[in-house]
Amino acid sequence: MGNVSSADAFVEFERVQKSYDGETLVVKDLNLSMPKGEFLTMLGPSGSGKTTCLMMLAGFETATHGEIRLDGREINNIPPHKRGIGMVFQNYALFPHMTVAENLAFPLEVRKISKTDREAKVKRALNMVQMDDFGARRPAQLSGGQQQRVALARALVFDPTLVLMDEPLGALDKQLREHMQYEIKHLHENLGITVVYVTHDQSEALTMSDRVAVFNDGVIQQLAPPDDLYERPHNSFVAQFIGENNKLPGTVKGRSGDIIHVEFNDGEHCQALAVQAVSEGEPTLISIRPERVSVGRDDLTNSTDARVLELIYLGDHIRCRMDVHGNDQFIVKLPNGAAKVPLSVGELTKVGWAAEDARALDPL
Amino acid sequence: MQADTTLLTTADGQPLKAALKSAASKAKRRAFYLVAPLLAFVLITFIFPIGQMLHQSVYNPDFTIHEDKGTKIQTPIMVNLQVWFRETEIGTVPDEAAFAALVSDLIQLRELRGQGEVGTRINYDVPGTRSLFTKSARRAAKLEAPFKEAVLDLDEDWADPELWQAMRTAASPYTMNFYLAALDMRRSETGEIVAVAENRQIRVKLFSRTLTLSIIITLTCFLLAFPIAHLLATLPLRYSNLLMILVLLPFWTSLLVRTTSWIVLLQSQGVLNDILVSLGIVGANGRVQLIYNEIGTVIAMTHILLPFMVLPLFSVMRTINPSYVRAARSLGATSWTAFRRIYLPQCVPGIGAGALLVFILAVGYYITPALVGGAKGTLISNEIAFHMTDSLNWSLAAALAALLLAGVLALYWLYDRLVGIDNLKLG
Ligand SMILES: Nc1ncnc2c1ncn2[C@@H]1O[C@H](COP(=O)(O)OP(=O)(O)OP(=O)(O)O)[C@@H](O)[C@H]1O
Ligand SMILES: [Mg+2]
C-alpha cells in the first residue's frame, strides 16, 4: 500500500516515543516515512499526540526516544531555526507589532537576504495567496481567512522544502475552510513542497491528502491513502473514526481462506472478510459502510430481515435507520434516483451485502 | 472628504449626527454620575492642595501682613517702607526718608511682636539678617532723627544694598524669587538675576542627582525585574505563585523595617562588609562604604521599587503567546533574534509603564534616601522636607516641589510622544 522504503524517505520517524511527565507516553513507538512532495495528514481525536509529533519534527519538543530524520539527516539535536521547516500555527502567530509585509520579510531578513530580493519575494508570496493589497496592514486589521493566508505565505516565503501545518483552518467557517483547502492543495501541487498537515476534521483529511495517518492514543492506527482508509479500515477505531459505519458484534465460527463465518448475538450467521480476528471462538466486530448495503434483494451472500425504523430525506439520498441483527442503529443510504426503492416506516424488508464489504475487525 | 453628500437622517427626519449625540449623551451622563464621587474626592484632596502649593510658591505675605497667632487678626505691616519702595527706583541708595519709614515700621512690628517673622522672611534671601530685625525692633522706639545715622549706629549692616533689595522684593507678596532660589539664583542689589555664591549652590546639584539616581534606579529595576517577570509568566503555576509571593513580600513589611535592614546589611561594620573581610576581598581597614551615600540610596530604593517594575512587565508578558517566539524560531531566527525582534517589542507597553512608575516614584522618594542616603545620597525630596519642617520656608519648598512636578509632567509628555500613552499597561 503506502509503504515507502527508507532510501527515498524525506521525513522519517523511527521508533519515536515521547513523554512529558515521565509517567505516560504521549507518543508510543511512532514509525513513519514520507517521500518528498507528499501531502500527509495526521488525523485523530483531541489529545492523541498529533501536535506533539509536529512539535518534535519542528524542534520545539525533544523526542524521549527514537530518531527523527529529515532528508537522511538526523535532526534530533538540530535547533529549530536551523531545520528550515516552514510552519503554520493553529492561531497563525502573526507578529502583531509588524505589518503583513514585515511579517513576510522576517524569515528573509534573518537569512540575510538583500533588500531588493526580499521585496520581490514578499511581493510574490503575497500574490500567491491573493493578498497583494494588504502588505501595509497589521495582522489585527485582517479577517481570520486573510490572517490564515498571510500565515501560509509567511511559512512559504523562504522556500522551505517541508511545511508543517497545525490545524490551520480550525478557526474558519465552513465555506472559507473548504475554499482554503483547495488553495492549500493547489499551492502544494504547484510548489512541489512536502506537507505535514494536522487536523481532526476527517473530510479535510480525505479531500486534501496523499496519505492519512490516523492517530489514537499516541499510536498510528492506520497509514493509508484516503480511499484505502475509507474502504479498507484496518481496525474498528479507524472504521468508526472515518465516515459512517454499521457495527455488528459477533463471534468467529469458522474460516475458509480470507472469508470467515460469523455468528451474531441473535443466532444468525454471516460471511465476512477477515481483517483482524482470525481464530475460531474469538469475538469480532463486523463493520459495513451504509452505502454498501443493498435493500430489497435477497440474492446476496449475506441477506437478512430488516425493519425500517426511520426515514430522513436528504435531497440526493434518503437515510434509512433500520433494525438489523438486533442493532437498531443500522444505517442504510438509499440513492434518490430513478431506481429508488419505495420504503415506509415499520415495513419489513430484506437487506444484504457482499462478504468482502463486511469487514471483521477487533471488538471494541 | 465628500462635501456634497446629502445629510444622513434617521427615520423621523432627525439628522443622524444629532440623534447619535443625544443617544450617547445619556450613557455619558450616567457614567459621569458614577465617577462624580471620585472626581470630588480627587478635586478636594489632590487638585486643590496642589493649587495651594503652586500659589504658595509665588506668594509670601510675611513682609506685608502680620497675622496674630491668637486672634487671627491680620494687620498690614511695613506700610511706610512699601510707600518708599514704590516711589523710588530699584537700586536707589536708602536716604533719610527710607530710614525714617523703617524705624516707624519697626516700632509697629515691636507692638505686634511680628519682627521675628519679618526677619525670617528676609533671612531667606539674605542669610544672617533675622537677628538684625529683632535687635533693631527692640530698640527702635528709642531712636531719634536723623534716623539714617541712628540706625546705622545701631548696626551698620543696615547699609547693605543687598538687604534693601531683598526688602524691596519682599514688599510685594507675589514674587518669583523662590523659584530663583530653587534654581540657586538670586536677585542682585540692582535687581538682576545672578547665581548665588558657589559654595551655596546645592539645589541644582540635588535636582541633577535626583535625576541621575532615579535613572540608575529605574535601569537596575528593569534589569532585575525583566528575568523575574519572564519567569513568572512562563513557569508552571505552582512555582510562579511562590515566586510571586517572594516578589510581593516586600509589600508586607514596613518600609522602615526594610530600609533599616539594609543599614544592618550594608554599613561598614555590617554583614556584607564582614563577609568581604572574612573572604579577604577587602582588608579590615579598607571596608567599603556602601551606605550613607549614593550606593546605599540606589540599592535600598531598587529593592523597594522593584515590584512596581515586575508587576506591569508580568501582566504584559503573560499575554504574549509563546507561539510567537516559536514561529520566529521556525522562520529561522536564533533565540536571541527572536527575543530581540519579537518578544521584546511586545513587552514595550509593560516596560514603559514600569519605567514610568518606578521613575516617578523614585524622583519623589523621601524616607529611604533620608535614612540611608547620608550627605551624598539625599534627594530633592529631602531638601523639600527640610524647608517644610526645619527652616519653615514653605514657599521655597513649594517652588522646589512645583519644579519637580513640572519635570515629571515633562517626562510624561515625552513618554506620550515617544511610546504613546495609550500603549501603557499597568496591570
Ligand atoms: N507541554 C505539555 N506538557 C505535558 N503534557 C502535554 C503537553 N503538551 C501536550 N501534552 C499532553 O500530551 C497529549 C497529546 O497532546 P497533543 O497536543 O499532541 O494532542 P493533539 O493530538 O494535538 O490534540 P488536539 O487535536 O486537541 O490539538 C495530551 O494528553 C496532552 O495533555
Ligand atoms: Mg493539537
Side-chain angles (χ1 to χ4, degrees):
Chain A
M1 278 190 305
N3 282 332
V4 183
S5 72
S6 210
D8 54 306
F10 183 60
V11 177
E12 220 176 353
F13 284 84
E14 196 181 311
R15 317 219 54 181
V16 172
Q17 296 183 315
K18 171 72 188 174
S19 170
Y20 283 105
D21 50 9
E23 284 165 18
T24 50
L25 280 174
V26 172
V27 174
K28 303 168 188 160
D29 195 28
L30 180 75
N31 291 290
L32 178 73
S33 57
M34 275 176 78
K36 208 170 185 135
E38 188 178 49
F39 194 118
L40 183 128
T41 299
M42 295 179 172
L43 175 69
S46 193
S48 54
K50 310 179 296 283
T51 300
T52 306
C53 286
L54 219 57
M55 287 300 162
M56 285 193 289
L57 189 50
F60 298 120
E61 296 289 352
T62 46
T64 315
H65 174 84
E67 240 180 52
I68 303 172
R69 280 189 289 272
L70 180 63
D71 211 3
R73 203 159 48 117
E74 192 194 323
I75 57 169
N76 289 38
N77 295 318
I78 297 180
H81 66 277
K82 290 196 180 143
R83 297 194 180 190
I85 297 175
M87 181 142 187
V88 181
F89 289 78
Q90 185 159 9
N91 60 358
Y92 313 138
L94 296 175
F95 307 135
H97 57 293
M98 295 183 180
T99 64
V100 166
E102 285 165 349
N103 261 284
L104 262 64
F106 183 79
L108 306 173
E109 266 171 56
V110 299
R111 284 180 172 71
K112 308 220 163 27
I113 288 171
S114 76
K115 193 161 189 292
T116 41
D117 285 359
R118 223 154 58 202
E119 275 163 8
K121 276 178 184 265
V122 167
K123 200 155 175 281
R124 196 150 41 95
L126 280 177
N127 178 266
M128 182 173 72
V129 292
Q130 293 137 41
M131 293 281 294
D132 307 68
D133 302 332
F134 293 85
R137 293 232 199 144
R138 299 259 163 165
Q141 298 166 323
L142 300 178
S143 75
Q146 291 167 337
Q147 289 183 34
Q148 207 282 331
R149 285 184 217 200
V150 175
L152 193 62
R154 192 180 65 177
L156 295 172
V157 72
F158 61 98
D159 303 320
T161 41
L162 176 63
V163 179
L164 314 181
M165 305 189 192
D166 190 357
E167 299 192 38
L169 308 180
L172 305 185
D173 68 55
K174 188 169 177 300
Q175 211 167 355
L176 190 56
R177 195 160 65 221
E178 280 167 7
H179 177 71
M180 288 306 300
Q181 283 170 11
Y182 284 113
E183 292 200 359
I184 291 175
K185 192 68 194 144
H186 284 152
L187 282 174
H188 165 247
E189 279 159 9
N190 296 340
L191 301 176
I193 46 175
T194 312
V195 178
V196 181
Y197 191 95
V198 165
T199 180
H200 53 220
D201 179 339
Q202 49 151 310
S203 72
E204 197 166 295
L206 295 181
T207 50
M208 296 175 79
S209 329
D210 296 328
R211 284 194 302 162
V212 179
V214 180
F215 270 70
N216 188 36
D217 206 14
V219 175
I220 295 187
Q221 303 287 335
Q222 187 170 357
L223 173 61
D227 52 341
D228 256 12
L229 209 58
Y230 185 80
E231 283 161 33
R232 288 178 284 280
H234 266 181
N235 58 31
S236 339
F237 177 82
V238 178
Q240 182 178 298
F241 196 73
I242 310 280
E244 223 170 356
N245 169 45
N246 292 310
K247 293 170 285 190
L248 298 171
T251 315
V252 181
K253 282 292 165 201
R255 172 163 194 166
S256 55
D258 272 350
I259 302 296
I260 55 169
H261 192 72
V262 178
E263 187 185 280
F264 294 116
N265 296 347
D266 63 352
E268 301 248 10
H269 295 261
C270 157
Q271 309 277 320
L273 186 71
V275 181
Q276 290 269 340
V278 281
S279 47
E280 222 172 292
E282 277 184 15
T284 184
L285 192 78
I286 305 300
S287 151
I288 309 152
R289 294 284 181 204
E291 62 277 7
R292 295 299 170 106
V293 179
S294 329
V295 178
R297 282 169 62 180
D298 50 8
D299 54 339
L300 290 158
T301 337
N302 300 308
S303 193
T304 182
D305 287 337
R307 184 173 296 281
V308 179
L309 297 177
E310 193 179 358
L311 290 164
I312 299 168
Y313 182 77
L314 284 171
D316 59 340
H317 72 269
I318 293 164
R319 214 175 127 87
C320 176
R321 186 161 68 86
M322 292 178 162
D323 182 353
V324 176
H325 291 310
N327 178 356
D328 61 0
Q329 296 294 328
F330 198 96
I331 303 294
V332 178
K333 282 182 184 166
L334 306 169
N336 191 8
K340 108 178 185 194
V341 191
L343 283 179
S344 52
V345 175
E347 184 183 332
L348 202 61
T349 181
K350 286 269 181 206
V351 293
W353 53 84
E356 300 79 54
D357 289 334
R359 297 172 68 81
L361 306 175
D362 52 321
L364 277 179
Chain B
M1 283 195 305
Q2 292 156 295
D4 53 2
T5 44
T6 52
L7 212 58
L8 285 172
T9 58
T10 58
D12 54 0
Q14 244 187 321
L16 195 58
K17 279 218 176 94
L20 183 67
K21 217 181 218 167
S22 80
S25 76
K26 204 179 280 172
K28 270 191 203 146
R29 229 179 358 249
R30 203 173 304 154
F32 176 76
Y33 293 146
L34 277 176
V35 299
L38 176 67
L39 192 67
F41 179 79
V42 168
L43 272 177
I44 293 166
T45 61
F46 198 67
I47 306 286
F48 182 65
I50 285 183
Q52 275 289 84
M53 179 201 80
L54 290 176
H55 183 240
Q56 181 117 59
S57 68
V58 293
Y59 176 76
N60 190 317
D62 285 355
F63 199 77
T64 52
I65 291 168
H66 174 79
E67 190 183 84
D68 192 88
K69 295 242 165 53
T71 57
K72 303 275 171 205
I73 295 171
Q74 296 192 337
T75 327
I77 47 172
M78 310 307 275
V79 270
N80 299 315
L81 260 186
Q82 281 173 43
V83 171
W84 185 81
F85 283 136
R86 221 173 296 138
E87 284 167 355
T88 52
E89 302 252 311
I90 289 179
T92 310
V93 178
D95 52 10
E96 177 60 21
F99 281 96
L102 174 67
V103 170
S104 61
D105 285 340
L106 285 175
I107 293 170
Q108 184 207 14
L109 272 187
R110 168 90 167 137
E111 281 157 16
L112 292 166
R113 297 177 195 284
Q115 64 271 42
E117 276 105 60
V118 170
T120 308
R121 169 68 187 87
I122 301 305
N123 200 56
Y124 295 156
D125 296 338
V126 188
T129 49
R130 187 173 185 275
S131 59
L132 188 64
F133 275 87
T134 49
K135 185 176 76 180
S136 306
R138 213 161 39 232
R139 303 200 191 147
K142 293 192 194 112
L143 295 178
E144 281 171 28
F147 290 111
K148 181 164 183 173
E149 271 160 48
V151 172
L152 289 181
D153 239 14
L154 197 61
D155 196 321
E156 58 189 23
D157 281 355
W158 282 113
D160 184 3
E162 219 177 289
L163 171 67
W164 282 87
Q165 171 57 25
M167 289 200 288
R168 181 185 285 276
T169 44
S172 69
Y174 285 96
T175 171
M176 290 305 282
N177 279 11
F178 295 106
Y179 281 98
L180 292 181
L183 294 169
D184 286 339
M185 285 186 282
R186 63 181 182 88
R187 274 186 203 280
S188 69
E189 49 270 44
T190 50
E192 287 151 22
I193 296 171
V194 293
V196 299
E198 203 138 323
N199 60 343
R200 300 175 56 92
Q201 294 181 1
I202 45 165
R203 288 164 201 147
V204 171
K205 220 183 286 172
L206 271 178
F207 269 117
S208 73
R209 182 195 293 161
T210 306
L211 188 72
T212 14
L213 287 193
S214 298
I215 290 173
I216 292 172
I217 289 164
T218 309
L219 274 179
T220 44
C221 273
F222 171 71
L223 291 180
L224 290 177
F226 198 89
I228 300 174
H230 182 72
L231 272 184
L232 272 175
T234 48
L235 274 184
L237 206 60
R238 228 162 359 129
Y239 304 110
S240 69
N241 273 343
L242 191 73
L243 194 59
M244 185 57 115
I245 288 173
L246 289 182
V247 168
L248 294 180
L249 204 60
F251 278 143
W252 302 353
T253 33
S254 148
L255 185 66
L256 278 172
V257 173
R258 275 181 282 157
T259 308
T260 26
S261 64
W262 276 114
I263 299 178
V264 173
L265 281 171
L266 298 179
Q267 63 190 346
S268 45
Q269 299 300 324
V271 179
L272 197 67
N273 264 310
D274 284 351
I275 293 174
L276 288 179
V277 169
S278 68
L279 289 178
I281 296 172
V282 298
N285 36 21
R287 286 173 178 259
V288 195
Q289 183 67 33
L290 290 172
I291 205 156
Y292 306 125
N293 58 12
E294 298 95 327
I295 302 174
T297 304
V298 168
I299 293 178
M301 280 181 58
T302 300
H303 171 234
I304 284 159
L305 296 177
L306 195 58
F308 295 100
M309 183 68 96
V310 172
L311 294 179
L313 273 179
F314 165 64
S315 82
V316 169
M317 285 177 176
R318 205 182 30 181
T319 61
I320 300 176
N321 194 319
S323 67
Y324 290 127
V325 171
R326 288 189 161 185
R329 302 267 283 139
S330 83
L331 292 171
T334 60
S335 35
W336 166 243
T337 309
F339 171 78
R340 195 173 49 86
R341 297 277 317 272
I342 306 303
Y343 194 72
L344 203 57
Q346 293 188 60
C347 292
V348 164
I351 298 173
L356 205 61
L357 207 58
V358 168
F359 186 83
I360 288 174
L361 283 172
V363 157
Y365 228 73
Y366 164 63
I367 299 177
T368 307
L371 288 178
V372 301
K376 285 195 213 142
T378 48
L379 304 182
I380 196 69
S381 53
N382 303 98
E383 175 80 356
I384 295 175
F386 170 77
H387 286 298
M388 285 180 68
T389 56
D390 292 352
S391 82
L392 296 180
N393 188 354
W394 282 26
S395 290
L396 180 58
L400 288 169
L403 286 177
L404 198 59
L405 179 68
V408 168
L409 287 178
L411 192 84
Y412 188 78
W413 175 81
L414 197 71
Y415 179 87
D416 188 30
R417 291 298 300 274
L418 292 181
V419 185
I421 221 68
D422 42 350
N423 266 332
L424 206 65
K425 252 196 184 153
L426 283 172

